[in-house]
């Protein structure tokens, strides 16, 4: 197809079909199950919601990346712009601003001028935030492992859960994008 300026236009992507929509719903369902498990575990065990843990994770990793993989506990942490932090943890900018304010109130993060632009606001992890992140990560990873393992028993979630655990499909010979079966619902069907 050619546009009015004489340039070839890409055809629009085809809409998703029913099978793709079903697989997407299964992925969202797995994500929801795992997210609930992680949030409940972190909130109950450490008083820190999953969203705040993810922010500490993103801020801590940005700091380590900026140092070439070497963490220096005494050095000032690298700051991330609020928009970049929002992208890394999947929240809106306005939600991240409130989240950082909560972390700041606990002494786990602090606001700073954005690198290269003193007018923009950024956030960075504090030494206490690094300590909390290090202490909470084993709890997070144990809960993630339990949630993924539990999902392996659900025929509709097993392949995706196995892929997250191993990087490989759980269904012998199946491509990870293929559903485990095209047959109708079975007894104990837990399909979305």
């Amino acid at each position: 197809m050619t546009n009015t300026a004489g340039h070839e236009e890409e055809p629009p992507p085809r809409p998703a079909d029913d099978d793709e929509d079903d697989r997407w719903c299964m992925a969202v369902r797995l994500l929801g199950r795992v997210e609930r498990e992680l949030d409940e575990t972190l909130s109950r065990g450490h008083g820190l919601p999953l969203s705040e843990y993810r922010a500490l994770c993103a801020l801590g990793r940005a700091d380590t990346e900026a140092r070439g993989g070497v963490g220096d506990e005494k050095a000032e942490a690298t700051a991330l712009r609020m928009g970049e932090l929002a992208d890394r943890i999947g929240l809106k900018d306005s939600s991240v601003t409130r989240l950082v304010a909560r972390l700041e109130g606990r002494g786990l993060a602090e606001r700073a001028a954005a690198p290269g632009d003193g007018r923009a606001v950024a956030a960075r992890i504090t030494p206490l935030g690094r300590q909390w992140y290090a202490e909470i990560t084993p709890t997070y990873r144990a809960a993630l492992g339990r949630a993924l393992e539990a999902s392996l028993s659900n025929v509709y979630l097993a392949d995706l859960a196995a892929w997250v655990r191993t990087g490989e499909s759980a269904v012998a010979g199946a491509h990870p994008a293929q559903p485990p079966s095209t047959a109708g619902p079975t007894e104990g069907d837990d399909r979305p």
Side-chain angles (χ1 to χ4, degrees), residues 168-181:
E168 296 179 9
S169 173
V171 180
H175 183 279
Q178 293 176 340
S181 169

Side-chain angles (χ1 to χ4, degrees), residues 8-146:
E8 287 292 316
E9 289 184 5
E10 296 271 332
R14 72 169 178 75
D17 62 25
D18 287 346
D19 289 338
E20 291 167 325
D21 186 37
D22 283 349
R23 287 191 296 271
W24 175 247
C25 287
M26 287 181 241
V28 170
R29 186 174 196 172
L30 175 64
L31 180 64
R33 283 181 176 198
V34 172
E35 296 267 294
R36 276 191 307 278
E37 172 72 22
L38 293 172
D39 190 54
E40 289 170 8
T41 300
L42 294 179
S43 293
R44 186 176 52 249
H46 299 279
L48 191 75
L50 179 59
S51 59
E52 292 179 17
Y53 172 81
R54 285 220 172 101
L56 288 179
C57 178
L59 293 171
R61 286 182 179 177
D63 189 43
T64 302
E65 289 166 8
R67 298 176 197 287
V70 178
D72 180 357
E73 298 297 319
K74 298 194 189 303
E76 187 173 275
T78 301
L80 277 181
R81 290 173 181 261
M82 295 294 190
E84 185 176 353
L85 179 57
D87 284 345
R88 287 187 182 203
I89 63 175
L91 294 176
K92 294 180 182 176
D93 289 5
S94 59
S95 297
V96 166
T97 300
R98 291 189 300 273
L99 184 149
V100 168
R102 290 192 304 272
L103 290 173
E104 196 171 30
R106 298 173 111 176
L108 304 175
E110 62 189 5
R111 294 171 202 258
D117 183 359
R119 298 169 297 163
V121 179
R124 66 176 157 235
I125 195 167
T126 64
L128 180 60
R130 282 190 199 120
Q131 180 183 339
W132 270 52
Y133 175 65
E135 290 172 6
I136 294 170
T137 295
T139 302
Y140 169 85
R141 291 193 176 157
L144 178 59
R146 281 191 312 273

